[in-house]
Amino acid sequence: MIPRELLLLLENWLPGCYSCVKWQSVLSSLRLILASDKAQCYLHYFSHYMWMNDIANICKHIPGIFVFLYADDILILSPTVNKVQELFNDIECELQALDLTINSKKSCCLRIGFRCDINCSTITNTTRVMITWVSEPRYLRVILVKSRSFKICLDYAKRSFYRAANAIYLEK
């Protein structure tokens, strides 16, 4: 729980503050940041840092587990399905303590290795909702592929790149 004094400080921090974007050496026009924008922004980053730090601390105590945290995305790499379930439970409990939840509909599992085609145990959340096993999940716009060795598919990234490049080219 955030102390009331800290919340008031964040809500009233730097009244009349402006923001701009710098791209290489060019600055965009200035934009007035309203108090509600700043409060939401600071609270978002503060809460995000808190849960990311807590999850990182959970993960570093389990040998053989690798966890990648980026924004609100979590990627868990583990040599066993049981370790994935264990870590998933720990992360879910930590997030529940912060009044956050894992979206089971957007979560999925992928098996990579010589046993990739063999059915695995079911991974479930605390409410016993099953996390689906998939062949090609997407993480940060990169599609991971179920196979005997680590593979990715860049078709989606290439399409996005060419779509953006064509949009810029056609504007001129």
Side-chain angles (χ1 to χ4, degrees):
M1 180 132 160
I2 298 174
R4 185 176 191 279
E5 293 78 16
L6 178 59
L7 184 61
L8 289 172
L9 175 69
L10 293 174
E11 285 179 348
N12 296 303
W13 193 317
L14 302 172
C17 191
Y18 289 84
S19 173
C20 69
V21 175
K22 182 177 181 181
W23 178 261
Q24 294 177 347
S25 62
V26 179
L27 292 175
S28 70
S29 59
L30 293 175
R31 178 185 175 270
L32 176 65
I33 299 176
L34 303 174
S36 63
D37 291 343
K38 282 189 301 199
Q40 290 171 359
C41 180
Y42 289 128
L43 289 175
H44 171 76
Y45 289 121
F46 178 73
S47 64
H48 185 262
Y49 169 77
M50 295 302 289
W51 73 261
M52 292 281 277
N53 189 49
D54 291 345
I55 289 173
N57 286 334
I58 291 170
C59 302
K60 68 181 170 183
H61 298 296
I62 304 173
I65 298 285
F66 297 94
V67 177
F68 298 91
L69 304 169
Y70 182 82
D72 62 348
D73 292 330
I74 302 171
L75 176 66
I76 301 170
L77 300 178
S78 166
T80 67
V81 176
N82 291 338
K83 290 278 187 194
V84 171
Q85 181 68 65
E86 178 186 330
L87 188 56
F88 189 83
N89 292 344
D90 292 346
I91 290 171
E92 195 170 28
C93 287
E94 191 64 44
L95 291 174
Q96 285 173 350
L98 297 167
D99 200 25
L100 297 170
T101 58
I102 294 176
N103 186 341
S104 299
K105 292 177 184 174
K106 290 184 176 180
S107 301
C108 61
C109 298
L110 170 70
R111 191 169 195 181
I112 298 173
F114 67 95
R115 298 176 60 194
C116 67
D117 294 325
I118 297 172
N119 290 337
C120 291
S121 301
T122 304
I123 304 288
T124 60
N125 67 7
T126 54
T127 59
R128 308 319 268 159
V129 173
M130 293 186 340
I131 308 301
T132 58
W133 287 90
V134 297
S135 297
E136 292 188 344
R138 194 170 92 192
Y139 182 71
L140 303 179
R141 295 188 178 219
V142 175
I143 297 173
L144 306 173
V145 179
K146 178 172 100 171
S147 66
R148 295 188 182 278
S149 61
F150 182 79
K151 290 184 181 177
I152 61 172
C153 176
L154 295 174
D155 291 346
Y156 177 80
K158 288 178 190 175
R159 278 195 305 270
S160 297
F161 170 78
Y162 285 119
R163 189 178 306 121
N166 285 334
I168 292 169
Y169 178 72
L170 294 174
E171 275 186 18
K172 293 183 177 189

